[in-house]
Amino acid sequence: MRFNVPLFPLLFQYRLQIALSTKTYFQPDEFWQALEPAHRLVYGYGYLTWEWKEGLRSIAHPMVFSAVYWVSELLGLGNAGVLYGPKVLQALFAAIADYSVYKFAAKYYGDEVARLTLMCSVTSAFNYFVSIRTFSNSLEMTLLICALNYWPLEKTAGQVSILNYSIALVLGAVACVLRPTNALIWSYLGAGLVLRLRSFNIVAIAGAVGTIILSLNALLDMWYYQQLTFPLYNFLKFNIVESLSSFYGVNRQLYYIVEALPQLLTVYLPFFFHGIYLSRCSTLAQASIFVVFVYSLISHKEVRFIFPLLPIFHVFAALSLYRLRILGRPHLKWTFLTLLLLVNLPLALYASTTHQRGVVDVTSYIRTTPSIESVGFLMPCHSTPWMSHMRRPDIIAWFLTCEPPRGLPRSELATYRDEADQFYDDPELFLRMHFPPLRGNETEATMFRYNWPSHLIVFGALEEFLVSYTGDKYAECQRFFNSHFHEDRRRRGDVVVFCKQSN
């Protein structure tokens, strides 16, 4: 591969440095659907969201991090192992993805395109920010690009290695277990392969591998839930039959084209479009278009849903850079590299070290402050990591919930307001209804949903109201910078900790 130094160790060192220096928050699933259930499984405490109570999630992905926690306990690493172990493992997965996309591009497009693909991968701001986070989408990305190295695409379709094909199927099936929607790309690739080869063996092997992987996963989930549970069925029922995924947001039809792709690719965006046009007759390009098209039909959209396709997008961008000879022309080369330096580097560093860091810093404060007896988060639900970072089984902790409207008639879905919504609709009314009077008889607390904790945590946007409402009963005792701006007005400002004052 014409590298004078071992490539993979360098990539791992690079991703590990990013993982260990990342101090910010992106989306709840990184913690609440991966680390939190893993932590609860190993240590016996933590919070399980409604998806786990309803059996919508497979334990397969959290089990990866449970293994890290078990090893941490075996080695006696304590909090350091719990906090940094998952980061090390996810950095390993990210480095494997970098190395695999390099190998894939070299196999199908040659060494020069492979080097350009690797450049795209390691300088991608979004990759920098997300690949080292413990999302199932991040591991899904790694599994997808690893599998494609073994999958028989056009150039090798006439000489299918059963071993390589089987390896690709295993990796693809595991990816589908992690995220059922990964089946979109594999169904397209599989259908294309069957049409080209018209081989019964291809279908039979796929059926056998799929049955084995799904059966093993069913046994794993049955062990975890202590009953026969099919998260895939529950997932499809919730998202398609009940259409409740829209409760978490509805996006415009062209979201992935006009918002998600620019976020994923930044300065590589025009080269991606040119590259996918050049490759428009290839199965991989058509599969990518198919997946984005199908995702666009779903009401609830998120950029990380198509994040697993990013290595493929980088291949197309690299192909364009190669054809246009961008780095072979001195004037274009330095213009491009300057643009890359001025756009991607600041974005990557700011998102990883500054934007939304207060919600992570406050969990460290809780973990290291013994005087905290109880803590309440008057924030939108899942605004911070939980016990996988706080590590405080000795305290009472609560937050405002946001469970979806399961079981309601369709006529009531549009007006449904979860607990966090109710609070922000009228904070004063909510506190009067669900908390005992601050200046009343404390014995009345049992009548209310919540008790006043020793520490209250809010965003700066709510600070003025809380000071007015609590008067001299609470006073600010700590503050953490969180963000300079935020699209959600409820999350604007610093993270402010208020301490209950003794009488």
Side-chain angles (χ1 to χ4, degrees):
M1 296 181 181
R2 299 183 183 178
F3 276 92
N4 296 324
V5 292
L7 179 59
F8 182 75
L10 286 179
L11 292 172
F12 176 56
Q13 182 180 10
Y14 173 65
R15 293 300 178 191
L16 181 60
Q17 183 177 356
I18 296 171
L20 296 179
S21 62
T22 295
K23 307 294 184 184
T24 58
Y25 191 92
F26 178 37
Q27 290 181 342
D29 281 11
E30 176 186 1
F31 306 104
W32 293 84
Q33 304 298 352
L35 299 183
E36 197 64 20
H39 186 275
R40 183 181 174 92
L41 183 62
V42 175
Y43 296 101
Y45 66 97
Y47 187 92
L48 293 181
T49 61
W50 69 271
E51 292 99 327
W52 296 95
K53 299 168 187 174
E54 297 283 346
L56 265 73
R57 299 278 182 171
S58 171
I59 195 59
H61 184 237
M63 279 291 290
V64 173
F65 302 105
S66 293
V68 174
Y69 294 151
W70 280 319
V71 171
S72 173
E73 284 300 293
L74 186 64
L75 298 178
L77 298 179
N79 282 344
V82 174
L83 296 172
Y84 296 107
K87 290 176 175 285
V88 174
L89 181 61
Q90 194 60 50
L92 177 64
F93 293 150
I96 291 173
D98 289 329
Y99 189 69
S100 296
V101 74
Y102 172 80
K103 286 177 58 184
F104 176 83
K107 178 179 180 180
Y108 287 100
Y109 298 98
D111 287 347
E112 185 60 32
V113 173
R115 285 191 284 270
L116 290 169
T117 300
L118 185 61
M119 178 193 73
C120 293
S121 186
V122 300
T123 60
S124 163
F126 202 88
N127 223 6
Y128 187 106
F129 178 55
V130 176
S131 68
I132 47 76
R133 295 179 181 271
T134 54
F135 290 113
S136 59
N137 310 90
S138 300
L139 182 52
E140 181 188 352
M141 175 192 72
T142 300
L143 291 169
L144 174 60
I145 192 59
C146 286
L148 287 175
N149 274 278
Y150 297 97
W151 184 261
L153 290 172
E154 287 94 339
K155 293 184 180 180
T156 57
Q159 310 141 18
V160 175
S161 163
I162 297 302
L163 176 61
N164 286 350
Y165 175 63
S166 300
I167 293 172
L169 287 174
V170 169
L171 294 172
V174 173
C176 292
V177 165
L178 298 181
R179 293 283 300 181
T181 47
N182 196 257
L184 285 173
I185 191 167
W186 289 112
S187 62
Y188 191 96
L189 293 175
L193 185 63
V194 170
L195 289 175
R196 286 199 305 273
L197 298 184
R198 301 183 185 278
S199 168
F200 175 77
N201 288 341
I202 294 296
V203 178
I205 294 171
V209 169
T211 300
I212 291 171
I213 296 299
L214 289 176
S215 297
L216 291 174
N217 183 64
L219 290 174
L220 184 64
D221 286 329
M222 187 167 64
W223 166 80
Y224 176 73
Y225 285 106
Q226 294 296 295
Q227 62 182 4
L228 191 59
T229 304
F230 297 100
L232 174 59
Y233 169 77
N234 295 332
F235 178 89
L236 294 175
K237 181 183 177 184
F238 174 83
N239 287 284
I240 297 176
V241 178
E242 298 181 14
S243 299
L244 289 179
S245 61
S246 59
F247 172 72
Y248 293 104
V250 175
N251 307 83
R252 53 180 166 172
Q253 199 79 31
L254 295 178
Y255 168 83
Y256 287 112
I257 304 299
V258 301
E259 294 184 50
L261 285 176
Q263 289 180 59
L264 283 173
L265 292 157
T266 59
V267 299
Y268 293 117
L269 183 65
F271 303 106
F272 159 74
F273 282 123
H274 179 231
I276 205 167
Y277 172 78
L278 294 173
S279 307
R280 61 191 180 278
C281 294
S282 72
T283 300
L284 200 58
Q286 293 168 2
S288 300
I289 294 170
F290 170 74
V291 172
V292 174
F293 171 74
V294 174
Y295 270 128
S296 296
L297 300 178
I298 302 171
S299 298
H300 178 61
K301 304 174 179 69
E302 293 185 34
V303 63
R304 62 185 177 88
F305 291 172
I306 62 169
F307 174 62
L309 297 175
L310 188 55
I312 302 172
F313 295 167
H314 285 153
V315 172
F316 295 136
L319 181 61
S320 172
L321 290 168
Y322 173 71
R323 291 288 184 90
L324 296 174
R325 297 186 63 245
I326 296 295
L327 299 186
R329 303 174 184 178
H331 177 68
L332 290 176
K333 173 183 177 180
W334 292 113
T335 300
F336 174 75
L337 293 179
T338 300
L339 184 63
L340 196 63
L341 184 66
L342 292 178
V343 175
N344 279 17
L345 183 60
L347 274 176
L349 292 176
Y350 181 76
S352 296
T353 63
T354 305
H355 185 62
Q356 293 198 92
R357 68 166 296 156
V359 290
V360 178
D361 289 340
V362 75
T363 62
S364 299
Y365 169 76
I366 295 170
R367 185 176 63 253
T368 57
T369 307
S371 61
I372 295 178
E373 299 174 354
S374 55
V375 59
F377 292 78
L378 289 175
M379 293 175 158
C381 69
H382 308 146
S383 289
T384 72
W386 202 243
M387 288 299 165
S388 64
H389 279 59
M390 292 194 291
R391 303 281 292 155
R392 291 291 303 273
D394 58 312
I395 66 173
I396 298 171
W398 53 261
F399 61 93
L400 302 178
T401 62
C402 55
E403 298 188 358
R406 304 212 73 186
L408 286 181
R410 288 187 176 274
S411 59
E412 297 181 25
L413 294 181
T415 58
Y416 174 78
R417 306 294 288 170
D418 62 42
E419 186 180 49
D421 289 333
Q422 293 173 35
F423 170 71
Y424 279 97
D425 287 343
D426 191 333
E428 182 172 349
L429 176 62
F430 184 92
L431 294 181
R432 292 189 185 281
M433 288 179 60
H434 298 290
F435 287 76
L438 276 168
R439 294 162 184 80
N441 188 347
E442 293 297 331
T443 61
E444 297 178 2
T446 55
M447 299 169 52
F448 295 89
R449 179 174 182 132
Y450 294 108
N451 292 332
W452 291 101
S454 67
H455 292 69
L456 271 174
I457 300 175
V458 299
F459 284 112
L462 204 65
E463 179 181 0
E464 185 176 337
F465 162 76
L466 194 65
V467 169
S468 173
Y469 186 86
T470 60
D472 60 356
K473 298 297 183 179
Y474 280 87
E476 178 186 331
C477 53
Q478 192 61 260
R479 177 182 293 264
F480 300 95
F481 168 80
N482 191 59
S483 62
H484 293 101
F485 61 92
H486 206 290
E487 64 275 10
D488 186 345
R489 61 178 180 79
R490 302 172 303 172
R491 291 182 165 94
R492 291 173 185 165
D494 297 337
V495 173
V496 188
V497 182
F498 286 87
C499 298
K500 194 172 187 179
Q501 303 300 291
S502 57
N503 293 328

PDB file of all heavy atoms in Angstrom, residues 50 79 97 218 279 321 377-378 383 415 422 436 478 484:
ATOM      1  N   TRP A  50     -37.500   4.203  28.046  1.00  0.00           N
ATOM      2  CA  TRP A  50     -38.724   3.451  27.743  1.00  0.00           C
ATOM      3  C   TRP A  50     -38.485   2.387  26.668  1.00  0.00           C
ATOM      4  O   TRP A  50     -39.147   1.351  26.664  1.00  0.00           O
ATOM      5  CB  TRP A  50     -39.822   4.421  27.301  1.00  0.00           C
ATOM      6  CG  TRP A  50     -39.549   5.049  25.959  1.00  0.00           C
ATOM      7  CD1 TRP A  50     -38.867   6.192  25.721  1.00  0.00           C
ATOM      8  CD2 TRP A  50     -39.952   4.530  24.694  1.00  0.00           C
ATOM      9  NE1 TRP A  50     -38.800   6.436  24.377  1.00  0.00           N
ATOM     10  CE2 TRP A  50     -39.463   5.429  23.722  1.00  0.00           C
ATOM     11  CE3 TRP A  50     -40.668   3.409  24.284  1.00  0.00           C
ATOM     12  CZ2 TRP A  50     -39.676   5.233  22.364  1.00  0.00           C
ATOM     13  CZ3 TRP A  50     -40.868   3.207  22.920  1.00  0.00           C
ATOM     14  CH2 TRP A  50     -40.380   4.110  21.980  1.00  0.00           C
ATOM     15  N   ASN A  79     -13.059   4.123  38.247  1.00  0.00           N
ATOM     16  CA  ASN A  79     -13.742   5.111  37.412  1.00  0.00           C
ATOM     17  C   ASN A  79     -13.014   5.377  36.101  1.00  0.00           C
ATOM     18  O   ASN A  79     -13.646   5.648  35.074  1.00  0.00           O
ATOM     19  CB  ASN A  79     -13.903   6.427  38.173  1.00  0.00           C
ATOM     20  CG  ASN A  79     -15.032   6.378  39.180  1.00  0.00           C
ATOM     21  OD1 ASN A  79     -15.887   5.487  39.134  1.00  0.00           O
ATOM     22  ND2 ASN A  79     -15.052   7.317  40.111  1.00  0.00           N
ATOM     23  N   ALA A  97     -12.337   1.565  10.665  1.00  0.00           N
ATOM     24  CA  ALA A  97     -13.110   2.126   9.549  1.00  0.00           C
ATOM     25  C   ALA A  97     -12.203   2.901   8.603  1.00  0.00           C
ATOM     26  O   ALA A  97     -12.312   2.771   7.373  1.00  0.00           O
ATOM     27  CB  ALA A  97     -14.230   3.013  10.086  1.00  0.00           C
ATOM     28  N   ALA A 218     -31.301 -13.443  19.102  1.00  0.00           N
ATOM     29  CA  ALA A 218     -32.548 -13.719  19.829  1.00  0.00           C
ATOM     30  C   ALA A 218     -32.254 -14.386  21.168  1.00  0.00           C
ATOM     31  O   ALA A 218     -32.886 -14.064  22.184  1.00  0.00           O
ATOM     32  CB  ALA A 218     -33.462 -14.597  18.981  1.00  0.00           C
ATOM     33  N   SER A 279     -19.745   7.789 -10.917  1.00  0.00           N
ATOM     34  CA  SER A 279     -19.952   6.374 -10.569  1.00  0.00           C
ATOM     35  C   SER A 279     -21.411   5.960 -10.667  1.00  0.00           C
ATOM     36  O   SER A 279     -21.807   4.927 -10.126  1.00  0.00           O
ATOM     37  CB  SER A 279     -19.456   6.128  -9.134  1.00  0.00           C
ATOM     38  OG  SER A 279     -18.150   6.573  -8.941  1.00  0.00           O
ATOM     39  N   LEU A 321     -11.766  14.155  -6.763  1.00  0.00           N
ATOM     40  CA  LEU A 321     -10.492  14.860  -6.582  1.00  0.00           C
ATOM     41  C   LEU A 321      -9.418  14.310  -7.507  1.00  0.00           C
ATOM     42  O   LEU A 321      -8.588  15.059  -8.057  1.00  0.00           O
ATOM     43  CB  LEU A 321     -10.035  14.742  -5.125  1.00  0.00           C
ATOM     44  CG  LEU A 321     -10.855  15.522  -4.085  1.00  0.00           C
ATOM     45  CD1 LEU A 321     -10.479  15.079  -2.677  1.00  0.00           C
ATOM     46  CD2 LEU A 321     -10.645  17.018  -4.240  1.00  0.00           C
ATOM     47  N   PHE A 377     -32.615  17.559  37.600  1.00  0.00           N
ATOM     48  CA  PHE A 377     -32.291  18.257  36.352  1.00  0.00           C
ATOM     49  C   PHE A 377     -33.563  18.846  35.766  1.00  0.00           C
ATOM     50  O   PHE A 377     -34.404  18.110  35.229  1.00  0.00           O
ATOM     51  CB  PHE A 377     -31.656  17.292  35.357  1.00  0.00           C
ATOM     52  CG  PHE A 377     -30.288  16.809  35.746  1.00  0.00           C
ATOM     53  CD1 PHE A 377     -30.135  15.806  36.701  1.00  0.00           C
ATOM     54  CD2 PHE A 377     -29.154  17.350  35.170  1.00  0.00           C
ATOM     55  CE1 PHE A 377     -28.878  15.360  37.069  1.00  0.00           C
ATOM     56  CE2 PHE A 377     -27.894  16.916  35.529  1.00  0.00           C
ATOM     57  CZ  PHE A 377     -27.757  15.920  36.485  1.00  0.00           C
ATOM     58  N   LEU A 378     -33.751  20.149  35.906  1.00  0.00           N
ATOM     59  CA  LEU A 378     -34.873  20.847  35.271  1.00  0.00           C
ATOM     60  C   LEU A 378     -34.423  21.274  33.881  1.00  0.00           C
ATOM     61  O   LEU A 378     -34.146  22.441  33.607  1.00  0.00           O
ATOM     62  CB  LEU A 378     -35.305  22.042  36.117  1.00  0.00           C
ATOM     63  CG  LEU A 378     -36.005  21.695  37.432  1.00  0.00           C
ATOM     64  CD1 LEU A 378     -36.269  22.950  38.246  1.00  0.00           C
ATOM     65  CD2 LEU A 378     -37.304  20.935  37.179  1.00  0.00           C
ATOM     66  N   SER A 383     -30.566  15.524  28.688  1.00  0.00           N
ATOM     67  CA  SER A 383     -29.650  16.602  28.304  1.00  0.00           C
ATOM     68  C   SER A 383     -28.214  16.335  28.727  1.00  0.00           C
ATOM     69  O   SER A 383     -27.295  17.004  28.243  1.00  0.00           O
ATOM     70  CB  SER A 383     -30.111  17.933  28.913  1.00  0.00           C
ATOM     71  OG  SER A 383     -31.278  18.402  28.283  1.00  0.00           O
ATOM     72  N   THR A 415     -51.828  16.525  20.251  1.00  0.00           N
ATOM     73  CA  THR A 415     -51.854  17.430  21.398  1.00  0.00           C
ATOM     74  C   THR A 415     -51.095  16.867  22.604  1.00  0.00           C
ATOM     75  O   THR A 415     -51.077  17.499  23.659  1.00  0.00           O
ATOM     76  CB  THR A 415     -53.312  17.711  21.822  1.00  0.00           C
ATOM     77  OG1 THR A 415     -53.966  16.468  22.129  1.00  0.00           O
ATOM     78  CG2 THR A 415     -54.052  18.414  20.697  1.00  0.00           C
ATOM     79  N   GLN A 422     -44.469  19.785  29.343  1.00  0.00           N
ATOM     80  CA  GLN A 422     -45.375  20.408  30.308  1.00  0.00           C
ATOM     81  C   GLN A 422     -44.634  21.409  31.183  1.00  0.00           C
ATOM     82  O   GLN A 422     -45.155  22.491  31.488  1.00  0.00           O
ATOM     83  CB  GLN A 422     -46.017  19.328  31.183  1.00  0.00           C
ATOM     84  CG  GLN A 422     -46.967  18.399  30.439  1.00  0.00           C
ATOM     85  CD  GLN A 422     -47.422  17.252  31.320  1.00  0.00           C
ATOM     86  OE1 GLN A 422     -47.607  17.405  32.526  1.00  0.00           O
ATOM     87  NE2 GLN A 422     -47.610  16.080  30.719  1.00  0.00           N
ATOM     88  N   PRO A 436     -43.509  20.198  46.518  1.00  0.00           N
ATOM     89  CA  PRO A 436     -44.105  20.793  47.729  1.00  0.00           C
ATOM     90  C   PRO A 436     -43.766  22.275  47.826  1.00  0.00           C
ATOM     91  O   PRO A 436     -42.766  22.723  47.250  1.00  0.00           O
ATOM     92  CB  PRO A 436     -43.450  19.996  48.864  1.00  0.00           C
ATOM     93  CG  PRO A 436     -42.173  19.492  48.288  1.00  0.00           C
ATOM     94  CD  PRO A 436     -42.443  19.222  46.844  1.00  0.00           C
ATOM     95  N   GLN A 478     -22.317  26.629  41.459  1.00  0.00           N
ATOM     96  CA  GLN A 478     -21.364  26.241  40.434  1.00  0.00           C
ATOM     97  C   GLN A 478     -21.961  26.575  39.072  1.00  0.00           C
ATOM     98  O   GLN A 478     -23.181  26.581  38.909  1.00  0.00           O
ATOM     99  CB  GLN A 478     -21.033  24.751  40.513  1.00  0.00           C
ATOM    100  CG  GLN A 478     -19.851  24.295  39.679  1.00  0.00           C
ATOM    101  CD  GLN A 478     -18.549  24.968  40.081  1.00  0.00           C
ATOM    102  OE1 GLN A 478     -18.121  25.901  39.429  1.00  0.00           O
ATOM    103  NE2 GLN A 478     -17.940  24.500  41.172  1.00  0.00           N
ATOM    104  N   HIS A 484     -21.996  28.716  23.030  1.00  0.00           N
ATOM    105  CA  HIS A 484     -22.162  30.112  22.635  1.00  0.00           C
ATOM    106  C   HIS A 484     -23.514  30.340  21.973  1.00  0.00           C
ATOM    107  O   HIS A 484     -24.020  31.465  21.930  1.00  0.00           O
ATOM    108  CB  HIS A 484     -21.050  30.522  21.654  1.00  0.00           C
ATOM    109  CG  HIS A 484     -19.690  30.552  22.274  1.00  0.00           C
ATOM    110  ND1 HIS A 484     -18.762  29.551  22.107  1.00  0.00           N
ATOM    111  CD2 HIS A 484     -19.102  31.464  23.093  1.00  0.00           C
ATOM    112  CE1 HIS A 484     -17.656  29.836  22.776  1.00  0.00           C
ATOM    113  NE2 HIS A 484     -17.832  30.991  23.380  1.00  0.00           N
TER     114      HIS A 484
END
